[in-house]
Amino acid sequence: MKLPKFFKRILTTGLAVAVAIGVAGCGGSGGSDSGENFIRIATGGTAGTYYPIGGAIADVISKDIPGMSATAQSTGASVANINMIRDGQVDLAIVQNDVAYYALNGTDMFDTKFDGLRGIASLYPETCQFVTREDSGITSIAGLRGKKVAVGAAGSGVEANVRQILKIYGITYEDIDAKFLSFAEGASALKDGSVDVACLTAGYPTASVQDVASMKKIRIIPIEDDKIESLIKDYPFYTPTVIPAGSYQGLYEDVKTVSVMAILVASDKVNEDTGYKIAKSIFGNLDKISAAHPAAEKIKKDTATAGLDFIKMNEGAAKFFKE
């Protein structure tokens, strides 16, 4: 199902933090021989994982690289972040690898191809989580027919994941009552009973799900093995994932689902020297970054290029990973 064009750019207006000091494009991103360089990092909503991890990355860059100052901004996440790079509003962004793939190829929520992205590093798996209350009686994705489902913000990477997973079950938005809600909005609606299921794609444990689990008994709806196999055949950027028992309060059994990768991308205007310094700073300070959120504990140098085969790497970052 192709989204109406009205939705495709809606997230670009969703900033919760104003853009830092007015530096045009990436002119400050290592391209100047004098003065301090400014790096602007687009993250995600405050209830997700991008925001705290992006903030930690900004902090280590600012402290570790002489003459460089980085700021992290709360945004509408992947789709908005890529549009912000394209429009010159930010220099770096955390995005889902599948959304980067859509942008490079001009598919799904992107009308035209955008080749101005460069890979810095693959960070951690982002897990597709279909969350319901235990008393809902919903135990499978097939059971979503006729239910009120928070599918993610309109045109977002999360919403694309939901459409693809539902498709494997032969379900479209005509079969459910789709609510276009963000992480935080979906969690709130799940708590008050406004929706039956809230969907999100984020590193687990996710703050919004933890919040729901602290007040209501929850269930993470599993995806069956044969459906996972079919999904990966159609969309090779997915990987099988198991959410371990105990990841959330009241989650007593492992749950099978799928993940995409959270990756750090840069504008193609970020030069080689800056890309090298950023990669070196991040992977030289993983202890500080992992302290920001449990999902960041999965950031490792030996998996830093996983899921990036389809995107050109920043030359400096690529040089760092070859060392």
Side-chain angles (χ1 to χ4, degrees):
M1 176 178 172
K2 191 172 180 63
L3 285 175
K5 291 185 177 179
F6 170 79
F7 288 136
K8 293 182 179 178
R9 295 293 305 282
I10 195 169
L11 293 182
T12 59
T13 60
L15 293 181
V17 178
V19 174
I21 301 175
V23 182
C26 288
S29 300
S32 174
D33 293 326
S34 63
E36 187 172 38
N37 295 325
F38 294 94
I39 297 291
R40 298 158 298 177
I41 307 173
T43 63
T46 56
T49 54
Y50 287 7
Y51 184 70
I53 291 174
I57 289 173
D59 189 54
V60 299
I61 288 173
S62 297
K63 292 178 178 178
D64 194 53
I65 305 176
M68 190 169 288
S69 177
T71 59
Q73 304 171 26
S74 174
T75 71
S78 295
V79 177
N81 293 354
I82 289 172
N83 285 326
M84 291 171 73
I85 285 182
R86 185 196 58 202
D87 296 339
Q89 297 177 38
V90 296
D91 310 299
L92 301 177
I94 304 176
V95 302
Q96 292 177 202
N97 67 338
D98 56 327
V99 177
Y101 177 89
Y102 305 145
L104 291 167
N105 290 280
T107 60
D108 284 75
M109 65 285 293
F110 296 96
D111 288 317
T112 58
K113 295 181 180 180
F114 173 54
D115 61 2
L117 293 177
R118 296 293 181 267
I120 295 292
S122 187
L123 300 177
Y124 58 89
E126 290 203 282
T127 302
C128 299
Q129 302 171 64
F130 286 66
V131 188
T132 188
R133 296 183 309 278
E134 191 179 63
D135 61 8
S136 70
I138 302 171
T139 59
S140 71
I141 303 296
L144 267 59
R145 285 185 172 86
K147 303 298 184 181
K148 297 177 181 178
V149 184
V151 298
S156 67
V158 174
E159 195 261 324
N161 297 147
V162 173
R163 281 188 290 112
Q164 291 159 359
I165 292 168
L166 291 180
K167 182 181 177 182
I168 295 298
Y169 285 84
I171 299 173
T172 71
Y173 284 173
E174 293 180 358
D175 301 312
I176 65 173
D177 184 0
K179 306 293 185 182
F180 295 93
L181 303 173
S182 69
F183 287 179
E185 291 168 340
S188 178
L190 189 61
K191 283 190 294 186
D192 66 22
S194 300
V195 299
D196 302 299
V197 178
C199 306
L200 70 157
T201 301
Y204 63 82
T206 309
S208 57
V209 182
Q210 289 176 313
D211 180 53
V212 177
S214 70
M215 300 181 183
K216 303 285 183 178
K217 291 183 178 180
I218 67 165
R219 174 183 296 116
I220 308 294
I221 304 171
I223 303 177
E224 294 84 355
D225 289 337
D226 62 324
K227 300 299 185 183
I228 290 175
E229 184 177 340
S230 297
L231 184 69
I232 293 172
K233 183 178 179 180
D234 289 350
Y235 306 101
F237 41 74
Y238 285 108
T239 58
T241 302
V242 174
I243 301 176
S247 296
Y248 296 109
Q249 182 176 327
L251 188 67
Y252 300 118
E253 297 180 350
D254 294 349
V255 177
K256 292 182 178 180
T257 182
V258 292
S259 294
V260 293
M261 292 299 295
I263 63 175
L264 183 66
V265 296
S267 163
D268 59 1
K269 296 179 178 63
V270 173
N271 66 32
E272 179 179 347
D273 180 61
T274 300
Y276 179 89
K277 290 177 179 177
I278 289 171
K280 183 178 181 180
S281 176
I282 291 171
F283 288 89
N285 292 277
L286 289 179
D287 56 334
K288 297 180 178 67
I289 295 171
S290 63
H293 192 281
E297 295 174 2
K298 301 179 181 71
I299 303 175
K300 308 290 182 184
K301 188 175 180 180
D302 60 2
T303 59
T305 59
L308 294 178
D309 294 345
F310 62 89
I311 189 172
K312 293 180 181 177
M313 291 291 289
N314 174 281
E315 292 182 358
K319 179 182 177 181
F320 172 78
F321 294 123
K322 290 177 182 177
E323 292 181 348

